[in-house]
Structure formats: C-alpha cells, structure tokens
Amino acid sequence: MARRRQQMIVYHGSSTKIEKPKIIIQEKGRDFGFGFYTTTVKKQAERWALRTARLDSLKSKTRKDAIVNIYYFDEKQTELLNTKEFTNSDLEWLEFIVHCRSNLSYNHNFDIVSGKIADDRVGETIEYVLAGVMRKEDAVERLRFEKINNQICFCTENSLKLLSFKESYTVHSMN
C-alpha cells in the first residue's frame, strides 16, 4: 500500500483573502454538497477566482479582485474523519453529484469528499440526467472522454481544522 503524504498544498479561488475557511452554503446544490471547496490544481483555482470575482463584482456593483488562497492540508489526520474519495467519474460519482445538486437537504455524512469536478461540459451532462433527458449509464460513458480536474470538499467544521492558511495572491488574468 502506498504511503500517504502528510501535508498537501490545496488552493481555493475566491474574491477575498480567506485565512479561516468556513462551510459555504449557497442557494443551489454543489457537486459534493455544501462545504469549502479546494483543488490541487493551481490553474483551476485561478479560473475559480476569476469567475467568483466577476460574479461578486456584478452582485455588489463594485470591482472585486480574484484571489487564490493557498492552504496546507494535513492529510494524516483524515484517518480520524469519515472521508469519501471518488477516483473515477463512474456511476457512483455521478449519482452522488446528482443527489447533492438536486436536493439541498441531502446529507451524506462525510467530513471530506474528493474526486473529479463537474465543470461546464460535465455539468451540462449532469443537467441532462437531472432533466431525465439522458440515462445515468449513458452520461458516465460520455464523461469517460472528458479531461476532468479534481476538487476536495471540506464538509464539516472538524475537516476545516486540517487546513492551515499559507498565503494568498491576486490573479490578474489567465495566461
């Protein structure tokens, strides 16, 4: 069995510097439910930051910066938590996302959920499933060919204790 790393760097894209992460509850469902979403992919976090800053600027009618927050994630301590890792974009992964996105009161009881992210193209496929236009099995087959990035969702206060703020930086544009 491969030895797990003890600390990993994770990124969170936002329009603010966030030294103390908290569970984010929104008006619509997210892939892995409500939580604090991070990724190990720096460019993905930068895209999230730019998108969030653009949306927050529109809402507040004032310019918001795109900020990437960087954290140390103490993976060793996950042994004490209830975690779920989706290693593939398979039927189990898709059904989990469908439950989380379609039912805001769905409670999966995991402290941390990690796996592939349902980006715009993947999200479109999931919307077809939610609308009853596409069978889940067909959606999984379609998604096999997508390059899908990762996400780690910290779903409970206990899981947030495994994150320690390192630094943040402003994203000016995607190069």
Side-chain angles (χ1 to χ4, degrees):
M1 185 160 97
R3 184 172 169 250
R4 289 189 79 145
R5 292 175 285 179
Q6 304 220 350
Q7 256 191 8
M8 155 192 307
I9 297 288
V10 293
Y11 306 91
H12 173 82
S14 181
S15 64
T16 58
K17 180 178 181 178
I18 304 172
E19 293 185 29
K20 294 190 184 301
K22 62 183 178 183
I23 305 299
I24 299 170
I25 298 175
Q26 297 180 322
E27 65 281 352
K28 67 179 200 170
R30 295 287 180 223
D31 289 356
F32 298 151
F34 297 127
F36 186 76
Y37 282 80
T38 65
T39 181
T40 59
V41 182
K42 185 177 179 181
K43 287 287 184 198
Q44 179 178 317
E46 290 175 351
R47 285 191 300 273
W48 284 350
L50 289 166
R51 181 175 184 274
T52 300
R54 187 172 53 253
L55 292 173
D56 288 353
S57 294
L58 289 172
K59 285 180 196 171
S60 68
K61 296 184 176 26
T62 58
R63 187 185 168 286
K64 300 288 184 180
D65 288 331
I67 308 290
V68 172
N69 296 281
I70 305 170
Y71 305 91
Y72 293 111
F73 169 31
D74 186 358
E75 285 185 282
K76 183 179 180 187
Q77 298 300 315
T78 60
E79 297 165 359
L80 306 173
L81 299 176
N82 187 18
T83 64
K84 176 67 178 170
E85 180 178 6
F86 293 100
T87 56
N88 296 305
S89 50
D90 57 13
L91 189 58
E92 180 189 16
W93 169 82
L94 179 65
E95 287 177 341
F96 191 87
I97 291 174
V98 167
H99 285 302
C100 289
R101 285 191 174 197
S102 63
N103 181 354
L104 295 181
S105 63
Y106 176 67
N107 184 3
H108 53 65
N109 295 315
F110 292 110
D111 295 295
I112 298 173
V113 181
S114 63
K116 307 295 183 183
I117 181 173
D119 65 9
D120 291 342
R121 287 184 313 276
V122 176
E124 178 183 81
T125 301
I126 291 170
E127 291 301 319
Y128 291 153
V129 171
L130 289 172
V133 175
M134 183 180 287
R135 293 179 333 124
K136 291 176 185 173
E137 295 80 7
D138 295 331
V140 168
E141 184 63 25
R142 179 180 181 184
L143 295 174
R144 280 190 331 126
F145 303 103
E146 293 288 341
K147 180 181 183 289
I148 306 174
N149 287 327
N150 72 25
Q151 59 188 341
I152 304 166
C153 181
F154 295 82
C155 305
T156 63
E157 294 300 322
N158 278 340
S159 68
L160 291 176
K161 294 175 185 175
L162 304 184
L163 292 176
S164 58
F165 181 77
K166 179 182 181 217
E167 63 186 331
S168 64
Y169 65 92
T170 303
V171 180
H172 298 288
S173 68
M174 292 300 288
N175 296 332

